[in-house]
Amino acid sequence: EIPIRVGVNSGSLEKPILTKYGGVTAAALAESALYNLKLIEDLGYDRLVVSLKSSDVAMNYEAHQLLAAQTDVPVHIGITEAGTPHRGKLKSAIGIGSLLLSGIGDTMRVSLTADPVEEVRAAKQILSAAGVRRFGPNLVSCPTCGRTQYDMIPIAREVERRLESCDKNITVAVMG
């Protein structure tokens, strides 16, 4: 059997739920997801995946916490309408990373206003940073502080550039 993805986001809440909560809230998102899961389960279908997303990182996190406390259905995670690559990667790293560290998330999507290849790269970076799965090298470098004996910034950037095509799961340290 093919799973059905039940999708809920900030722009798709039912009017009665919006009225009950006075607008889009974490509780409203979680209730909508649970309501829609139940509708399909009541029809006798139980191969489901739930996708609950908001562009508000804190609301997204709270909604997932509420949902996870009430169901064990697999969860597709992400931040909807995250934005341009620069801002969207930051919002997605915080939003998706915090869920992964909480043990929430079976599949994910990074939603950027960019080429989908950029979304996949960002997803791999988030999985690596959260320690869920390694993709390529882990670069560790010192911050610029009073103990640094030379200009670390250009050296760290050059090492990072050279490691871009490396697919080995190694740790490389640039220390001052």
Side-chain angles (χ1 to χ4, degrees):
E1 290 182 29
I2 297 172
I4 294 175
R5 186 175 109 176
V6 176
V8 174
N9 67 43
S10 301
S12 70
L13 294 177
E14 298 84 354
K15 287 185 182 183
I17 291 177
L18 283 171
T19 301
K20 176 180 176 181
Y21 290 95
V24 178
T25 66
L29 286 165
E31 184 173 317
S32 178
L34 292 165
Y35 169 76
N36 284 287
L37 285 171
K38 185 171 176 357
L39 281 177
I40 296 170
E41 288 169 340
D42 286 351
L43 295 172
Y45 199 87
D46 64 356
R47 295 208 15 108
L48 303 172
V49 174
V50 65
S51 174
L52 186 160
K53 295 180 185 176
S54 173
S55 59
D56 179 304
V57 174
M59 182 186 302
N60 194 68
Y61 179 81
E62 184 182 347
H64 279 87
Q65 294 296 322
L66 293 168
L67 180 69
Q70 298 179 67
T71 185
D72 60 356
V73 169
V75 182
H76 174 77
I77 60 175
I79 302 296
T80 193
E81 303 164 341
T84 61
H86 176 72
R87 183 147 177 84
K89 286 178 189 177
L90 183 59
K91 286 176 73 173
S92 295
I94 294 166
I96 293 170
S98 62
L99 292 171
L100 291 171
L101 292 174
S102 295
I104 297 172
D106 299 283
T107 61
M108 65 185 262
R109 173 160 184 220
V110 175
S111 300
L112 302 175
T113 307
D115 184 326
V117 172
E118 214 33 52
E119 296 180 344
V120 173
R121 274 193 206 110
K124 286 181 171 183
Q125 291 169 341
I126 291 168
L127 289 170
S128 290
V132 173
R133 186 158 172 212
R134 290 280 303 268
F135 295 94
N138 177 32
L139 175 61
V140 178
S141 62
C142 288
T144 55
C145 66
R147 295 181 311 220
T148 304
Q149 303 199 6
Y150 48 87
D151 189 1
M152 291 292 299
I153 295 170
I155 295 168
R157 283 186 182 151
E158 180 62 18
V159 170
E160 183 176 53
R161 185 190 69 73
R162 289 183 184 202
L163 290 173
E164 281 179 2
S165 62
C166 178
D167 62 357
K168 302 230 185 294
N169 290 329
I170 58 173
T171 296
V172 177
V174 179
M175 310 306 260

